[in-house]
Amino acid sequence: SHQLLLRAGLVMPLAAGLYCFTPLGWRVFRRIENIIREEMDAAGAQEVDLPALHPIELWEESARAAAMGDTLFRLTDRKEREFALGPTHEEVVSFLASRTVQSYRDLPVTLYQIQTKFRDEQRPRGGLLRLREFTMKDAYSFDMDEAGARHSYNRMFVAYLNTFARMGLRAIPMQADTGPIGGD
């Protein structure tokens, strides 16, 4: 609960959906990030760093600019080119993979990042979960077929269980709707 984070002095609200991490909170945050990185690396994923600012054309090409609706932060640069602040990175990581995966021999590959995301939430709520600006670890696998994708998914599933176990937390796997992201 964000109430506990506030009481412990780990975060401080700046505005609806925006929090500042205190020095102690940031230290805890970085420790959690390190555990996540270690588990992702152990599962064979490779870390990347993708831009938070995306050309709107990528979002229009995937038809998700419309699907994201008002949740997608949009802006225009001084040359009148439209951009979006990344609420997620499927479009950008797909662009990267389309230029770096040259053959089926390059597969499977799982890319991940831990980065700030932006969503213009209508009603920011849930402490640090439904925010306008938040940090998310996202991973994307590229596989030859559905069986390979399931195998990649299972590797990540185990990595998540290991991550929570290392933090002394009991994980309760749940099914969830993918929303505008799509997929199974």
Side-chain angles (χ1 to χ4, degrees):
S1 165
H2 75 286
Q3 292 297 327
L4 295 174
L5 294 168
L6 291 169
R7 195 176 321 153
L10 300 174
V11 298
M12 181 185 303
L14 177 65
L18 300 171
Y19 285 87
C20 302
F21 280 86
T22 65
L24 178 60
W26 190 241
R27 205 166 139 207
V28 170
F29 186 94
R30 298 301 266 179
R31 284 186 178 183
I32 292 169
E33 267 189 340
N34 287 335
I35 291 170
I36 292 168
R37 279 190 174 91
E38 289 168 7
E39 292 300 329
M40 287 292 106
D41 293 347
Q46 301 173 66
E47 188 170 11
V48 294
D49 184 37
L50 304 170
L53 191 61
H54 306 171
I56 197 68
E57 297 86 27
L58 287 177
W59 285 85
E60 289 171 345
E61 193 177 308
S62 70
R64 291 201 319 156
M68 292 295 291
D70 291 337
T71 305
L72 189 64
F73 274 110
R74 296 169 179 257
L75 59 138
T76 306
D77 71 7
R78 67 182 76 211
K79 295 180 182 176
E80 302 299 315
R81 185 167 179 203
E82 289 187 60
F83 291 88
L85 289 175
T88 185
H89 278 74
E90 284 86 352
E91 282 75 8
V92 177
V93 78
S94 295
F95 172 85
L96 176 67
S98 74
R99 279 138 181 94
T100 58
V101 175
Q102 300 298 313
S103 164
Y104 70 91
R105 290 182 199 95
D106 297 334
L107 300 174
V109 64
T110 300
L111 305 174
Y112 79 95
Q113 71 170 347
I114 301 172
Q115 193 201 55
T116 302
K117 310 287 188 193
F118 302 89
R119 294 183 185 164
D120 192 3
E121 293 286 348
Q122 185 175 4
R123 235 175 27 97
R125 61 191 185 284
L128 298 180
L129 295 179
R130 298 294 285 188
L131 300 176
R132 293 180 176 178
E133 179 181 341
F134 58 98
T135 302
M136 180 169 78
K137 193 289 301 174
D138 44 346
Y140 307 95
S141 71
F142 298 89
D143 301 277
M144 286 187 23
D145 54 24
E146 189 173 339
R150 296 251 179 249
H151 180 70
S152 292
Y153 174 87
N154 290 333
R155 276 194 355 255
M156 291 298 105
F157 187 85
V158 170
Y160 283 117
L161 293 177
N162 292 342
T163 299
F164 286 114
R166 284 185 60 188
M167 290 187 272
L169 300 170
R170 183 174 150 247
I172 304 171
M174 302 293 290
Q175 288 186 344
D177 180 24
T178 59
I181 294 171
D184 290 342

